[in-house]
Amino acid sequence: MPDISLTVIVLFCLAALAAGWIDAVVGGGGLLLLPVLLLGLPAGTPAATALGTNKAVAIVGTTGAAVTYARRAPVDVRTAVRIGLAALAGSSAGAFFAAGMSTDVLKPVIMVVLLAVAAFVILRPAFGTAPAPGPASRRRILAAIGLAGLGIGFYDGLVGPGTGTFLVLALTAVLHLDLVTASATAKIVNCCTNAGALVTFAWQGAVLWQLAVLLAVFNLAGGTLGARTALKRGSGFVRVVLLTVVFALVANLAYQQWPA
């Protein structure tokens, strides 16, 4: 592990804790932890190392949140795993295409889509507040596999930021889940995509394992706490956090596209 000061390690731990909480509630924890790693690691550290370490940390917190949700929320684990496997395939395809194109051209489009999503959630207060009666139809499950699995998985491999948030929105819209159940399902899907990405980064030697193990402890605590908070506070609370993360994501993408 590179030489990192105690102050920076403490900052990393706090960021991992907060990122785990955010990611468990509505996704998007990587918006916090990844920039902190990129800024805090010694100069000259490859970006791939920050990405790989972030994935090693995130998969632990995501798994902890998924287990907490699965024990206390009505999650269809079988459907979630099917969507997750599709997302794994989509993510691999997206990563393949990412090597040959600039993602900068996609960022303005993503920002417009996110703002449209925020407007929809604001104008539709009932969105995600109550699940549809009865199990989802086969047609809706297939649509979720296509959109939330292959589609958003492809986006995750191609661009990345906000994947968890997009998953929550897609699962709520397509499967007619409440926001809490959608967050729970998204965590299981995220476990699949994170596992695939981590294997790739580990094979490339792009993971700082000692740092990742330390930060994973804090991320796990944040993820477990976030899942419990969402289950206790309900869909209305998740809706507020969702809008906050969406606007933060738009601001982050805008800064990347048009830096000051």
Side-chain angles (χ1 to χ4, degrees), residues 52 56 105 173 179 208 241:
V105 298
L179 286 171
L208 299 174
V241 179

Side-chain angles (χ1 to χ4, degrees), residues 2 6-7 11 21 38 54 70 85-86 90 116 134 147 150 167 176 179 183 191 198 201 212 224 231 250 253:
L6 179 60
T7 301
L11 178 62
W21 188 91
L38 289 169
N54 178 63
L85 293 176
L147 176 60
L150 293 173
L167 282 172
H176 290 178
L179 286 171
S183 292
C191 286
L198 179 58
F201 283 121
T224 303
L231 288 164
V250 171
L253 291 172

Side-chain angles (χ1 to χ4, degrees), residues 38-243:
L38 289 169
L39 291 172
L41 289 173
T45 302
T49 300
L51 290 166
T53 304
N54 178 63
K55 282 297 182 185
V57 173
I59 194 171
V60 176
T62 299
T63 302
V67 171
T68 301
Y69 275 123
R71 288 176 175 173
R72 301 173 61 183
V75 182
D76 186 342
V77 176
R78 183 169 178 266
T79 297
V81 170
R82 290 163 68 186
I83 297 171
L85 293 176
L88 180 59
S91 180
S92 299
F96 176 79
F97 282 100
M101 69 173 294
S102 172
T103 58
D104 289 340
V105 298
L106 296 177
K107 290 176 182 177
V109 177
I110 296 167
M111 283 187 279
V112 171
V113 171
L114 282 169
L115 289 172
V117 164
F120 176 81
V121 174
I122 290 171
L123 295 174
R124 296 283 298 274
F127 178 74
T129 57
S137 66
R138 178 179 175 82
R139 179 178 296 180
R140 289 191 177 277
I141 291 175
L142 290 175
I145 291 173
L147 176 60
L150 293 173
I152 296 178
F154 183 85
Y155 166 81
D156 190 23
L158 188 66
V159 183
T163 296
T165 304
F166 279 127
L167 282 172
V168 171
L169 291 167
L171 293 169
T172 302
V174 176
L175 296 180
H176 290 178
L177 303 175
D178 64 86
L179 286 171
V180 172
T181 305
S183 292
T185 306
K187 295 290 90 56
I188 297 174
V189 176
N190 265 351
C191 286
C192 296
T193 56
N194 283 342
L198 179 58
V199 168
T200 301
F201 283 121
W203 179 72
Q204 296 173 342
V207 180
L208 299 174
W209 289 110
Q210 289 177 294
L211 179 62
V213 169
L214 173 63
L215 300 188
V217 173
F218 288 86
N219 195 253
L220 176 61
T224 303
L225 178 61
R228 291 178 178 174
T229 303
L231 288 164
K232 181 179 180 181
R233 301 289 294 273
S235 295
F237 172 76
V238 175
R239 183 173 180 269
V240 172
V241 179
L242 172 65
L243 288 172

